[in-house]
Amino acid sequence: MLDQAKKALKEYYGFDSFRPGQEDVISHIVQKKNTLGIMPTGGGKSICYQIPGLILKGTAIIVSPLISLMKDQVDALENLGISATYINSSLSSAEQQKRLTSLQHGVYQFIYVAPERFDHPQFLAIIKQIKLSFLAFDEAHCISQWGHDFRPSYRSIVSTISTLPNLPFVMGLTATATKEVIQDIQTLLAVTDNAVVNTGFARKNLSFHVIKGQDKQTFLKSYLAEHKHESGIIYAPTRKQVDSLSSLLKQKGYAVASYHAGLSEQLRQQEQNRFIQEEATIMVATNAFGMGIDKSNVRYVIHYALPMNIESYYQEAGRAGRDGEPSDCILLFSGQDIHLQKFLIEQSLMDTDKKTQEYKKLQSMINYCHTSSCLQQFVLQYFHDDSLKDGCENCSNCQQSGEQTDTTREAQMVLSCVKRMGERFGAGLTAKVLKGSKDKKIKQFGFETLSTYGLMEKETEKRITNFIHYLVAEGYLSTGDQRYPTLQLTKHAEAVLRGNQKIWMKQTSVKQQVSSDYDKGLFEALRILRKKIADQQGVPPYILFSDVALKEMSTYLPKTKQAMLSIKGVGEKKYQQYGEAFINEINTWTTANQTNKHDKKPSHLISYELDQAGYTLEEIAQMREVKEQTIMNHLYQCFQEGYKLEWDKFFSEMQEQAILTAQAELTEPKLKALKEKLGEAYSYAMIRGVLIKNKLL
Ligand code: ADP
């Protein structure tokens, strides 16, 4: 049986070896033992029940709490040529009936259902008659009332399924389980101790970072600039912040989707799909987003503010890197965020005991932001998981050992300045005083006479402000809880001012993940092809091939069936469907690139060829790793050299007319003046295009 399992792993999924825990779970199952598998998110739980379902005779019932997950899983199985379906309330009753009839005829190898389905007598009657291979509880922690996501409907089916005479055994799979939850699941599903497979919750491919004392927007802009084409989620605590961050990023030209409870159900669905279908690379959302999202190639999860506890943080951050590729989990910490979380606890309807518990959890979250030990280890220990013995070597704390500077003197300057300003002002004005700024507010309050005025004149105002944020994050200054935060000294500050305590500052930054040496241009071309096929088939792109598979293709350039089958994630089934299309793309790419190298073809002509081959401006920019504007300029140059251009992709007739009218009205027709007159909606590249087309430039 295990040999068969390995064969299926290669043939269907294109993987050579099992991940930790998978083989153990499968070996219990093929012996038909009730089994519980506990593995982290991205650990590969689906394969634990899908492979046995493929090998064993009969239909496997998968109980899943989330409708969106069911659809995703069924899409993925069907994509592998496996007969699977789901039945839930999102379907019309005619469709449900159709699927029930097929179920009765034993058509499906897998059927996904929500627990409520067991209340339907017809469904129960059918599954009692057919041959069943087993029943699996996905997200099995929902069965336990000790879990954070308890669903009574999950628990209540336990007694129902014990009346199924034809059910050989059951299994449970989960990524979150405390000791109590594990015990509870074991009792309910009659799983013996030796049939529990627990690999721990560590996620080796995730790098955790806490960024303190830096301006959040500045950090975000520079991080995103370095991760332009990668999918990521940014969590913000309030709807308002989601809206303002997403419009800021849209203005910067990013393809952004947003999601929060204030949007209509329809709009939320639409935004979620844009992210999953990779029309939007960034999802800005409140914590309402994410349950049931299976997107495997999320490369970063950024928390724009402090989450409420470690449970939710690890769950949200854990949505990064399900495909096992290196990914970042970044928390942008500022002392002020604590007030918002405290406010939310205070305002909630919880009783006093529960509130006290929530405050305790919040404190652990704050401690996470201040700890100097391994961040992942900190989280795992919080869950009583000691599997990570020596630190992850990836998080901001593990990476920066030794890189510390003594900043006691600077801290004393700041602290004494705050004191002299009467502890009534914010970081901005304090930085101005220390810098020795001529700002009129300084005159107004007479701060130019303070002994600390101009004390840090060699630093930039921005660096001083950041350093003040750092002192707040480290607890030497507090910001009060008024609407406009004012700096106040804490008791730790006194010790620093008296010279009894030193301050060592660690410089945190997020190092670029070292990625293997793959051809980035080809990777983009393959991504575009994947998206085109996925759109035609109405499935998410990552269901066709994972990013890992595309990166391997862009490294090894497979051009034969055999070479293609040696790529991780390409099995016989996938090859039959997509192999040739991808080989063709690799051939086209390598031929074009070789010619380019030989001919030393000018860059603008390469862009022109790609344009003529039917790629969009955005796609060409992605492949060539330059801005869209640069590609537009390349194409304009070609036009000036006599090549034909289809202008309607650059601007509409109305826009052209508006630009020409504005141009005619200006006495001195400079490009800058024209841009100012026309406003935001008209880019420089568009204006240039109109002028070039009309031979005005
Ligand atoms: P989970 O449900 O545990 O979060 P999934 O079942 O969605 O995880 O698997 C996460 C990713 O890992 C998927 O992209 C899957 O294809 C990949 N994966 C699973 N098992 C293996 C394996 N043995 N080798 C390589 N990749 C695997």
Side-chain angles (χ1 to χ4, degrees):
M1 279 285 207
L2 273 178
D3 284 349
Q4 250 177 304
K6 275 203 180 121
K7 203 165 150 251
L9 183 71
K10 181 72 189 155
E11 185 178 332
Y12 283 93
Y13 301 91
F15 301 137
D16 292 321
S17 55
F18 283 112
R19 289 236 182 104
Q22 285 177 331
E23 197 164 349
D24 283 349
V25 171
I26 293 173
S27 66
H28 288 306
I29 291 179
V30 291
Q31 294 170 45
K32 309 210 165 151
K33 280 205 264 180
N34 290 349
T35 308
L36 173 61
I38 305 149
M39 291 175 193
T41 310
K45 287 184 285 299
S46 322
I47 278 183
C48 292
Y49 63 80
Q50 287 178 357
I51 288 192
L54 282 170
I55 300 175
L56 298 170
K57 290 209 169 66
T59 303
I61 304 176
I62 317 298
V63 182
S64 168
L66 300 157
I67 293 182
S68 55
L69 262 185
M70 290 183 200
K71 187 172 172 338
D72 247 26
Q73 294 276 355
V74 169
D75 279 348
L77 285 168
E78 285 187 325
N79 198 260
L80 291 169
I82 299 165
S83 163
T85 198
Y86 60 88
I87 303 184
N88 61 33
S89 52
S90 72
L91 303 171
S92 69
S93 50
E95 181 60 34
Q96 290 189 23
Q97 209 51 49
K98 203 172 117 202
R99 294 187 187 191
L100 281 170
T101 311
S102 301
L103 175 65
Q104 193 160 17
H105 291 131
V107 168
Y108 304 121
Q109 236 160 337
F110 294 93
I111 173 143
Y112 285 76
V113 289
E116 292 76 13
R117 193 55 37 189
F118 287 81
D119 298 335
H120 291 58
Q122 192 195 359
F123 174 74
L124 260 183
I126 292 176
I127 57 169
K128 274 186 184 161
Q129 290 161 21
I130 61 174
K131 183 161 180 60
L132 297 177
S133 50
F134 58 86
L135 182 144
F137 288 91
D138 202 5
E139 312 286 347
H141 59 278
C142 297
I143 211 169
S144 166
Q145 54 192 346
W146 307 115
H148 65 282
D149 211 6
F150 173 49
R151 290 176 192 228
S153 56
Y154 246 71
R155 200 179 180 95
S156 68
I157 62 172
V158 172
S159 53
T160 315
I161 57 175
S162 66
T163 66
L164 295 177
N166 53 337
L167 181 64
F169 66 96
V170 294
M171 68 185 294
L173 291 155
T174 177
T176 50
T178 57
K179 275 192 187 123
E180 290 105 321
V181 174
I182 296 175
Q183 194 51 57
D184 207 16
I185 303 177
Q186 273 190 261
T187 314
L188 284 165
L189 301 186
V191 180
T192 56
D193 286 346
N194 61 8
V196 176
V197 178
N198 188 345
T199 62
F201 302 113
R203 303 277 309 273
K204 297 216 169 68
N205 60 319
L206 299 187
S207 311
F208 286 83
H209 303 273
V210 176
I211 304 292
K212 295 183 264 192
Q214 287 189 37
D215 179 63
K216 293 182 180 186
Q217 271 193 22
T218 313
F219 174 85
L220 195 61
K221 283 182 206 158
S222 75
Y223 182 86
L224 294 181
E226 282 177 18
H227 297 80
K228 256 193 215 118
H229 305 309
E230 292 174 350
S231 270
I233 305 174
I234 302 171
Y235 280 110
T238 60
R239 300 171 190 187
K240 215 170 125 196
Q241 226 171 29
V242 167
D243 289 338
S244 69
L245 264 180
S246 49
S247 50
L248 175 91
L249 298 178
K250 275 180 197 156
Q251 270 170 25
K252 295 256 154 224
Y254 291 101
V256 183
S258 53
Y259 190 107
H260 58 64
L263 304 176
S264 69
E265 169 68 30
Q266 194 192 359
L267 203 56
R268 272 183 290 171
Q269 196 59 43
Q270 185 186 315
E271 290 296 275
Q272 180 169 313
N273 284 345
R274 286 182 55 232
F275 181 59
I276 288 176
Q277 295 295 348
E278 306 202 336
E279 264 132 44
T281 40
I282 304 174
M283 168 57 90
V284 186
T286 59
N287 59 8
F289 173 77
M291 269 299 256
I293 302 300
D294 231 354
K295 188 168 161 53
S296 64
N297 59 348
V298 173
R299 287 282 73 85
Y300 58 84
V301 173
I302 298 177
H303 279 75
Y304 202 69
L306 189 74
M308 59 183 170
N309 54 41
I310 295 206
E311 284 88 341
S312 39
Y313 180 59
Y314 203 55
Q315 191 171 38
E316 286 155 18
R319 293 186 178 129
R322 294 175 77 116
D323 55 8
E325 285 286 278
S327 310
D328 289 327
C329 305
I330 301 167
L331 197 164
L332 305 182
F333 177 77
S334 124
Q336 275 150 262
D337 303 338
I338 301 171
H339 301 308
L340 175 66
Q341 290 302 345
K342 286 191 174 164
F343 173 78
L344 292 176
I345 298 175
E346 220 30 70
Q347 291 294 301
S348 72
L349 297 171
M350 293 182 278
D351 61 30
T352 321
D353 278 359
K354 184 88 178 119
K355 276 186 183 168
T356 314
Q357 203 186 344
E358 288 305 311
Y359 275 120
K360 255 174 84 178
K361 288 186 170 184
L362 175 60
Q363 192 52 50
S364 301
M365 191 68 242
I366 299 167
N367 294 347
Y368 169 86
C369 299
H370 291 300
T371 183
S372 54
S373 54
C374 170
L375 291 174
Q376 184 153 175
Q377 208 170 32
F378 184 95
V379 174
L380 293 177
Q381 277 168 359
Y382 178 83
F383 293 119
H384 310 286
D385 172 353
D386 292 323
S387 59
L388 196 65
K389 295 270 180 302
D390 303 318
C392 69
E393 292 175 15
N394 262 337
C395 71
S396 29
N397 289 347
C398 284
Q399 279 176 355
Q400 67 187 192
S401 50
E403 289 170 36
Q404 297 192 2
T405 27
D406 181 356
T407 53
T408 314
R409 243 177 69 77
E410 289 81 351
Q412 285 168 337
M413 292 177 188
V414 172
L415 297 175
S416 73
C417 189
V418 170
K419 200 169 183 177
R420 274 158 226 271
M421 288 167 72
E423 301 181 62
R424 289 188 300 121
F425 298 90
L429 194 64
T430 311
K432 280 190 182 355
V433 174
L434 285 158
K435 171 75 188 164
S437 148
K438 301 254 180 314
D439 193 285
K440 63 175 186 302
K441 261 198 162 167
I442 296 205
K443 275 243 156 60
Q444 188 187 329
F445 292 108
F447 287 152
E448 75 279 15
T449 59
L450 294 181
S451 58
T452 51
Y453 180 76
L455 206 56
M456 295 175 87
E457 63 180 353
K458 291 208 178 83
E459 298 286 353
T460 63
E461 223 173 279
K462 192 160 193 128
R463 281 202 55 190
I464 304 172
T465 314
N466 285 342
F467 184 59
I468 296 174
H469 288 313
Y470 173 80
L471 293 176
V472 174
E474 292 293 305
Y476 297 102
L477 287 170
S478 72
T479 48
D481 45 14
Q482 296 98 330
R483 186 146 169 232
Y484 300 104
T486 52
L487 298 173
Q488 284 145 27
L489 304 191
T490 65
K491 60 177 189 300
H492 305 295
E494 292 302 330
V496 178
L497 281 172
R498 280 199 300 270
N500 294 341
Q501 187 174 337
K502 282 201 170 296
I503 297 185
W504 292 93
M505 185 171 171
K506 297 175 188 165
Q507 198 54 50
T508 30
S509 62
V510 181
K511 288 192 188 121
Q512 278 264 41
Q513 301 272 2
V514 197
S515 54
S516 55
D517 193 13
Y518 61 96
D519 185 325
K520 310 253 177 351
L522 175 57
F523 178 66
E524 287 308 326
L526 296 179
R527 237 165 43 155
I528 291 164
L529 173 67
R530 177 176 69 172
K531 170 134 183 61
K532 276 186 189 154
I533 302 177
D535 284 349
Q536 280 160 12
Q537 301 191 342
V539 294
Y542 55 84
I543 281 189
L544 267 68
F545 287 126
S546 67
D547 280 11
V548 186
L550 299 195
K551 278 184 190 163
E552 284 211 351
M553 290 181 204
S554 315
T555 310
Y556 301 113
L557 315 177
K559 290 183 180 172
T560 61
K561 177 175 176 184
Q562 207 176 6
M564 204 46 145
L565 285 176
S566 67
I567 298 290
K568 204 178 194 174
V570 186
E572 187 70 45
K573 304 279 167 189
K574 285 272 160 94
Y575 180 80
Q576 279 163 17
Q577 293 190 71
Y578 311 114
E580 273 183 28
F582 280 76
I583 289 181
N584 286 345
E585 187 70 31
I586 294 167
N587 277 328
T588 314
W589 174 266
T590 41
T591 321
N593 266 3
Q594 271 156 15
T595 352
N596 293 340
K597 272 177 205 149
H598 287 308
D599 297 355
K600 293 229 169 1
K601 198 173 274 181
S603 189
H604 65 292
L605 289 184
I606 297 175
S607 296
Y608 186 76
E609 275 179 7
L610 291 167
D611 173 67
Q612 294 298 301
Y615 291 108
T616 65
L617 292 175
E618 197 190 347
E619 289 169 353
I620 304 172
Q622 266 186 38
M623 289 182 207
R624 307 207 61 199
E625 298 201 312
V626 293
K627 290 204 170 116
E628 225 171 290
Q629 277 174 15
T630 313
I631 303 297
M632 287 165 93
N633 287 332
H634 283 170
L635 300 182
Y636 298 159
Q637 191 181 343
C638 291
F639 174 80
Q640 287 172 317
E641 289 172 10
Y643 292 85
K644 271 210 170 86
L645 270 194
E646 287 149 24
W647 286 102
D648 52 359
K649 72 173 79 157
F650 303 102
F651 41 77
S652 66
E653 257 177 60
M654 241 170 65
Q655 287 169 324
E656 179 173 10
Q657 216 42 58
I659 293 171
L660 291 175
T661 312
Q663 155 92 2
E665 283 167 4
L666 281 178
T667 41
E668 199 200 356
K670 286 251 168 64
L671 209 54
K672 187 159 185 272
L674 202 50
K675 166 90 180 92
E676 272 163 18
K677 195 172 163 65
L678 286 158
E680 282 286 311
Y682 295 79
S683 67
Y684 270 114
M686 189 198 283
I687 301 172
R688 275 199 72 219
V690 170
L691 300 182
I692 287 171
K693 179 185 172 197
N694 291 281
K695 312 256 167 8
L696 294 166
L697 207 68

